Short mmCIF file of all heavy atoms in Angstrom, two decimals:
data_model
loop_
_atom_site.label_atom_id
_atom_site.label_comp_id
_atom_site.label_asym_id
_atom_site.label_seq_id
_atom_site.Cartn_x
_atom_site.Cartn_y
_atom_site.Cartn_z
N LEU A 91 -37.87 52.88 40.35
CA LEU A 91 -37.99 51.47 40.78
C LEU A 91 -38.02 50.56 39.47
O LEU A 91 -38.80 50.78 38.54
CB LEU A 91 -39.28 51.31 41.61
CG LEU A 91 -39.36 52.08 42.87
CD1 LEU A 91 -40.61 51.83 43.58
CD2 LEU A 91 -38.11 51.82 43.83
N ILE A 92 -37.18 49.57 39.54
CA ILE A 92 -37.08 48.68 38.39
C ILE A 92 -37.39 47.25 38.85
O ILE A 92 -36.93 46.76 39.85
CB ILE A 92 -35.58 48.66 37.88
CG1 ILE A 92 -35.18 50.05 37.42
CG2 ILE A 92 -35.44 47.68 36.66
CD1 ILE A 92 -33.72 50.24 36.99
N ASP A 93 -38.35 46.55 38.14
CA ASP A 93 -38.75 45.26 38.37
C ASP A 93 -39.37 44.98 39.76
O ASP A 93 -39.10 43.96 40.42
CB ASP A 93 -37.55 44.28 38.23
CG ASP A 93 -37.18 44.10 36.71
OD1 ASP A 93 -38.09 44.43 35.88
OD2 ASP A 93 -36.08 43.76 36.44
N HIS A 94 -40.10 46.00 40.22
CA HIS A 94 -40.89 45.84 41.44
C HIS A 94 -40.02 45.28 42.61
O HIS A 94 -40.32 44.21 43.17
CB HIS A 94 -42.05 44.83 41.26
CG HIS A 94 -42.81 45.11 40.00
ND1 HIS A 94 -43.50 46.22 39.76
CD2 HIS A 94 -42.86 44.39 38.81
CE1 HIS A 94 -44.07 46.17 38.54
NE2 HIS A 94 -43.63 45.10 37.91
N PRO A 95 -39.06 46.02 43.10
CA PRO A 95 -38.23 45.60 44.22
C PRO A 95 -39.07 45.57 45.52
O PRO A 95 -40.10 46.24 45.59
CB PRO A 95 -37.19 46.68 44.34
CG PRO A 95 -37.77 47.87 43.74
CD PRO A 95 -38.63 47.42 42.60
N PRO A 96 -38.66 44.73 46.53
CA PRO A 96 -39.48 44.70 47.76
C PRO A 96 -39.45 46.01 48.48
O PRO A 96 -38.45 46.75 48.38
CB PRO A 96 -38.66 43.67 48.60
CG PRO A 96 -37.31 43.55 47.95
CD PRO A 96 -37.56 43.80 46.46
N LEU A 97 -40.61 46.31 49.04
CA LEU A 97 -40.77 47.69 49.63
C LEU A 97 -40.94 47.59 51.17
O LEU A 97 -40.64 48.61 51.87
CB LEU A 97 -42.04 48.35 49.10
CG LEU A 97 -42.04 48.54 47.57
CD1 LEU A 97 -43.29 49.12 47.11
CD2 LEU A 97 -40.87 49.38 47.13
N PHE A 98 -41.27 46.42 51.76
CA PHE A 98 -41.65 46.41 53.19
C PHE A 98 -40.74 45.51 54.03
O PHE A 98 -40.64 45.66 55.20
CB PHE A 98 -43.06 45.94 53.32
CG PHE A 98 -44.05 46.76 52.59
CD1 PHE A 98 -44.61 46.33 51.44
CD2 PHE A 98 -44.41 48.00 53.10
CE1 PHE A 98 -45.52 47.17 50.67
CE2 PHE A 98 -45.35 48.85 52.42
CZ PHE A 98 -45.88 48.40 51.29
N SER A 99 -40.00 44.58 53.39
CA SER A 99 -39.17 43.66 54.17
C SER A 99 -37.85 44.42 54.67
O SER A 99 -37.63 45.59 54.16
CB SER A 99 -38.74 42.51 53.43
OG SER A 99 -38.17 42.84 52.21
N GLY A 100 -37.10 43.92 55.56
CA GLY A 100 -35.95 44.60 56.07
C GLY A 100 -34.91 44.85 54.99
O GLY A 100 -34.74 44.11 54.07
N SER A 101 -34.35 46.08 55.09
CA SER A 101 -33.50 46.55 54.04
C SER A 101 -31.99 46.15 54.22
O SER A 101 -31.33 45.79 53.26
CB SER A 101 -33.55 48.07 53.90
OG SER A 101 -32.81 48.59 52.85
N MET A 102 -31.51 46.22 55.47
CA MET A 102 -30.08 45.92 55.77
C MET A 102 -29.96 44.53 56.36
O MET A 102 -30.66 44.19 57.24
CB MET A 102 -29.55 46.99 56.69
CG MET A 102 -28.01 46.79 56.96
SD MET A 102 -27.40 47.94 58.18
CE MET A 102 -27.34 49.43 57.14
N PRO A 103 -28.95 43.75 55.81
CA PRO A 103 -28.02 44.05 54.71
C PRO A 103 -28.60 43.61 53.35
O PRO A 103 -29.67 42.95 53.30
CB PRO A 103 -26.83 43.16 55.07
CG PRO A 103 -27.45 41.98 55.73
CD PRO A 103 -28.64 42.49 56.51
N SER A 104 -27.91 43.91 52.29
CA SER A 104 -28.41 43.47 50.96
C SER A 104 -27.98 42.03 50.77
O SER A 104 -26.81 41.74 50.70
CB SER A 104 -27.75 44.42 49.91
OG SER A 104 -27.98 43.78 48.60
N GLY A 105 -28.99 41.17 50.52
CA GLY A 105 -28.72 39.71 50.29
C GLY A 105 -28.07 39.56 48.92
O GLY A 105 -27.18 38.70 48.74
N HIS A 106 -28.38 40.40 47.94
CA HIS A 106 -27.78 40.26 46.63
C HIS A 106 -26.26 40.62 46.60
O HIS A 106 -25.51 40.02 46.02
CB HIS A 106 -28.52 41.27 45.69
CG HIS A 106 -29.75 40.69 45.11
ND1 HIS A 106 -30.85 40.30 45.90
CD2 HIS A 106 -30.24 40.36 43.82
CE1 HIS A 106 -31.86 39.89 45.12
NE2 HIS A 106 -31.51 39.79 43.87
N ALA A 107 -26.06 41.77 47.41
CA ALA A 107 -24.65 42.15 47.54
C ALA A 107 -23.75 41.03 48.19
O ALA A 107 -22.69 40.75 47.83
CB ALA A 107 -24.53 43.45 48.32
N PHE A 108 -24.35 40.47 49.26
CA PHE A 108 -23.70 39.36 49.98
C PHE A 108 -23.44 38.23 48.98
O PHE A 108 -22.34 37.71 48.94
CB PHE A 108 -24.55 38.86 51.16
CG PHE A 108 -23.99 37.64 51.74
CD1 PHE A 108 -23.01 37.70 52.81
CD2 PHE A 108 -24.37 36.31 51.27
CE1 PHE A 108 -22.49 36.57 53.34
CE2 PHE A 108 -23.83 35.22 51.88
CZ PHE A 108 -22.88 35.30 52.86
N ALA A 109 -24.49 37.82 48.18
CA ALA A 109 -24.37 36.72 47.29
C ALA A 109 -23.30 36.99 46.23
O ALA A 109 -22.46 36.12 45.86
CB ALA A 109 -25.70 36.36 46.66
N ALA A 110 -23.35 38.18 45.66
CA ALA A 110 -22.41 38.54 44.60
C ALA A 110 -20.94 38.58 45.10
O ALA A 110 -20.09 38.03 44.35
CB ALA A 110 -22.73 39.88 43.94
N ILE A 111 -20.70 39.19 46.19
CA ILE A 111 -19.33 39.27 46.69
C ILE A 111 -18.83 37.98 47.14
O ILE A 111 -17.67 37.64 46.93
CB ILE A 111 -19.25 40.31 47.82
CG1 ILE A 111 -19.67 41.71 47.31
CG2 ILE A 111 -17.89 40.45 48.43
CD1 ILE A 111 -18.82 42.30 46.21
N SER A 112 -19.64 37.21 47.84
CA SER A 112 -19.23 35.85 48.31
C SER A 112 -18.93 34.96 47.12
O SER A 112 -18.01 34.15 47.16
CB SER A 112 -20.31 35.21 49.23
OG SER A 112 -21.49 35.05 48.54
#
Side-chain angles (χ1 to χ4, degrees):
L91 300 180
I92 302 173
D93 288 339
H94 316 290
L97 303 177
F98 301 104
S99 57
S101 187
M102 182 182 288
S104 167
H106 279 63
F108 173 88
I111 299 300
S112 61

